[in-house]
């Protein structure tokens, strides 16, 4: 995406009063930030449902463009990646969510479209029991599925424990922030955040100079849920941010899991209630989680590699089938329409081809229209 398009897209995020669905709708319907700008004086001609208030607000972009230009200087100085909705590096899972951010800002090395992504969330006031659960889970998971990306929010308690355990076990981990990339909150976690830049990353939807306000943390939770295949609640009181993330994940159709705690324990009340109300599947170990997610293939491959068994080539694949396999190997699970575009195979031809690959035991369809490579 060229710099001018990025500039107008950044400005667009300032033009809708931080109304996330509206900004995304304008971006999708008109095809980009610059297109919205070009239709600023006739927006109701192309979007008849646009409110009069929004139509008037979209006419003067001067302040928004000035702020976007300032942000581009900050981005260039600090080597930040700007991920606009629809870009190859924008989290594909998040694009399935109706309130996805139009723009994300990212510093780090971990691909956000890894084949396996999960988030670990919970209370800021975690107990020793919760910390032990995270340590054991992350360690066991790395043994069974070493390529999983661990996401959390860099907050006190379960969040920071998840990040640090991932780092200690050699897993990549990404923190979703509730503020701009010009600061780290809480400041006590700066050293961990700095380490994550080389073994994961820091992700936010907020421009620099955005403070860590309470509402930003609530909005941040939808990104934590949206970039992940599954949400795991470790410890939570009867109310809390972890429960908000779990609810959002449910709304997105993602898998939700929770570790149970002692009856009557305040730090486990949220987990126990969520399990009781069928809002989360009970797990007690990484093995439970891997089996529930159908990620056993990763564990089997890990075991085979430990035994010195090399991955064999796929037998009897046509050039088009080979191209699809290589694409899924490189990018992980993908939806059919994305495979069609990236592999340059017409959708009608691809449908038959994917069926053949499924019959050969090479891949399997997942919920939501994605495909997963088995071998």
């Amino acid at each position: 995406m060229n710099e001018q398009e990025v500039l107008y897209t950044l400005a667009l995020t300032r033009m809708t009063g931080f109304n996330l669905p509206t900004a995304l709708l304008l971006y999708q319907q008109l095809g980009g930030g610059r297109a919205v700008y070009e239709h600023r004086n006739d927006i109701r001609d192309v979007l008849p449902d646009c409110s009069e208030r929004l139509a008037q607000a979209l006419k003067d972009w001067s302040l928004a463009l000035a702020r976007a230009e300032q942000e581009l200087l900050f981005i260039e100085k600090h080597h930040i990646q700007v991920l606009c909705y629809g870009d190859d590096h924008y989290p594909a899972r998040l694009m399935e969510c109706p309130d996805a951010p139009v723009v994300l800002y990212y510093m780090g090395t971990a691909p956000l479209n890894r084949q396996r992504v999960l988030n670990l969330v919970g209370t800021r006031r975690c107990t020793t029991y919760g910390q032990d659960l995270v340590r054991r889970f992350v360690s066991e998971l790395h043994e069974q599925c070493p390529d999983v990306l661990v996401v959390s929010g860099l907050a006190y308690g379960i969040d920071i424990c998840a990040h640090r355990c991932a780092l200690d076990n050699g897993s990549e981990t990404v923190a979703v922030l509730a503020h701009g990339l010009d600061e780290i909150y809480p400041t006590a976690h700066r050293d961990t955040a700095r380490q994550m830049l080389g073994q994961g990353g820091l992700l936010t939807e907020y421009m620099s100079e955005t403070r860590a306000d309470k509402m930003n943390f609530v909005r941040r939770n939808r990104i934590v849920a949206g970039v992940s295949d599954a949400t795991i609640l470790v410890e939570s009181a009867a109310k809390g941010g972890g429960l908000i993330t779990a609810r959002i994940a449910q709304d997105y159709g993602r898998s939700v899991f929770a570790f149970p705690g002692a009856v009557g324990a305040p730090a486990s009340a949220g987990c126990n209630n969520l399990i009781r109300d069928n809002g989360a599947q009970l797990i007690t170990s990484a093995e439970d989680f891997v089996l529930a997610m159908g990620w056993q293939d990763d564990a089997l491959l890990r075991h085979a590699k430990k035994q010195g068994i090399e991955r064999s080539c796929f037998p009897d694949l046509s050039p088009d089938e080979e191209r699809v396999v290589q694409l899924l190997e490189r990018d992980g699970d993908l939806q059919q329409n994305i495979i069609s575009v990236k592999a340059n195979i017409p959708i009608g031809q691809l449908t038959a081809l994917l069926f053949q690959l499924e019959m050969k035991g090479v891949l399997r369809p997942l919920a939501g229209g994605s495909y997963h490579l088995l071998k």
Side-chain angles (χ1 to χ4, degrees):
M1 185 176 291
N2 63 55
E3 187 170 304
Q4 279 296 301
E5 177 58 34
V6 172
L7 174 69
Y8 285 103
T9 301
L10 297 190
L12 173 62
T13 66
R14 312 286 295 188
M15 292 298 299
T16 57
F18 302 100
N19 185 313
L20 305 169
T22 298
L24 181 59
L25 177 65
L26 289 168
Y27 187 86
Q28 291 174 318
Q29 292 291 320
L30 293 169
R34 188 181 183 95
V36 179
Y37 174 77
E38 290 171 347
H39 286 283
R40 65 192 181 280
N41 293 318
D42 62 350
I43 193 70
R44 300 189 79 179
D45 291 340
V46 291
L47 287 177
D49 293 336
C50 178
S51 69
E52 179 62 28
R53 181 179 178 182
L54 179 59
Q56 291 300 319
L58 287 173
K59 288 184 177 181
D60 184 5
W61 285 57
S62 55
L63 291 177
L65 284 170
R67 181 65 183 89
E69 288 172 351
Q70 177 187 342
E71 192 65 16
L72 282 178
L73 293 175
F74 176 81
I75 287 165
E76 182 178 0
K77 179 180 179 181
H78 295 280
H79 309 290
I80 295 169
Q81 298 178 54
V82 180
L83 308 177
C84 295
Y85 186 93
D87 287 354
D88 286 344
H89 298 294
Y90 188 98
R93 295 168 179 85
L94 193 57
M95 287 174 60
E96 300 170 1
C97 306
D99 52 357
V102 174
V103 174
L104 290 167
Y105 306 92
Y106 183 55
M107 295 177 69
T109 56
L112 300 173
N113 286 312
R114 293 287 288 275
Q115 185 172 350
R116 312 290 191 206
V117 184
L118 64 85
N119 69 71
L120 283 163
V121 293
T123 179
R124 285 172 167 79
R125 298 180 178 85
C126 65
T127 67
T128 301
Y129 168 71
Q131 293 173 15
D132 289 343
L133 283 177
V134 173
R135 291 191 190 98
R136 189 175 75 245
F137 178 86
V138 173
S139 175
E140 292 175 354
L141 184 67
H142 183 73
E143 272 297 305
Q144 298 182 51
C145 304
D147 295 326
V148 172
L149 178 64
V150 177
V151 175
S152 200
L154 204 71
Y156 288 107
I158 295 300
D159 286 21
I160 194 63
C161 185
H163 291 308
R164 288 171 176 165
C165 289
L167 292 170
D168 290 344
N169 282 277
S171 296
E172 291 184 312
T173 180
V174 166
V176 182
L177 307 179
H179 49 75
L181 289 172
D182 54 329
E183 68 169 320
I184 293 297
Y185 179 87
T187 56
H189 298 164
R190 282 179 177 170
D191 288 345
T192 301
R194 192 174 296 115
Q195 187 179 353
M196 290 168 65
L197 293 177
Q199 193 179 323
L202 306 175
L203 181 69
T204 184
E205 66 178 312
Y206 297 107
M207 288 186 177
S208 61
E209 301 181 14
T210 303
R211 303 282 76 86
D213 295 330
K214 182 178 180 180
M215 184 52 63
N216 293 355
F217 286 97
V218 176
R219 289 175 175 165
R220 179 271 308 274
N221 291 341
R222 83 188 195 287
I223 299 177
V224 173
V227 300
S228 308
D229 297 304
T231 290
I232 301 175
L233 189 64
V234 180
E235 275 191 316
S236 174
K239 295 181 180 179
L243 285 170
I244 294 174
T245 305
R247 177 184 56 75
I248 295 170
Q250 285 180 307
D251 291 342
Y252 288 162
R254 307 295 164 81
S255 300
V256 178
F257 301 87
F259 281 97
V263 174
S268 292
C271 291
N272 292 343
N273 293 344
L274 197 64
I275 294 168
R276 179 199 64 199
D277 298 337
N278 297 317
Q281 183 172 335
L282 185 153
I283 56 171
T284 60
S285 65
E287 183 178 7
D288 289 349
F289 173 75
V290 169
L291 288 171
M293 291 297 293
W295 291 1
Q296 303 95 311
D297 298 320
D298 294 26
L300 293 172
L301 181 58
R302 177 73 165 171
H303 177 72
K305 287 181 177 178
K306 277 188 174 183
Q307 301 300 317
I309 302 171
E310 293 298 325
R311 183 174 178 161
S312 61
C313 296
F314 295 113
D316 305 324
L317 295 185
S318 69
D320 284 345
E321 289 173 334
E322 192 69 53
R323 192 152 75 249
V324 170
V325 166
Q326 290 172 359
L327 178 62
L328 293 175
E329 244 182 344
R330 187 190 70 199
D331 293 354
D333 298 348
L334 294 173
Q335 289 190 316
Q336 183 172 336
N337 60 336
I338 296 176
I339 296 173
S340 176
V341 172
K342 290 191 173 185
N344 194 26
I345 300 173
I347 197 73
Q349 179 183 342
L350 180 63
T351 300
L353 190 147
L354 291 171
F355 178 75
Q356 289 300 322
L357 287 172
E358 185 181 351
M359 292 300 98
K360 292 178 180 179
V362 173
L363 55 75
R364 65 181 173 89
L366 301 175
S370 295
Y371 284 83
H372 168 63
L373 194 63
L374 291 176
K375 295 186 178 181

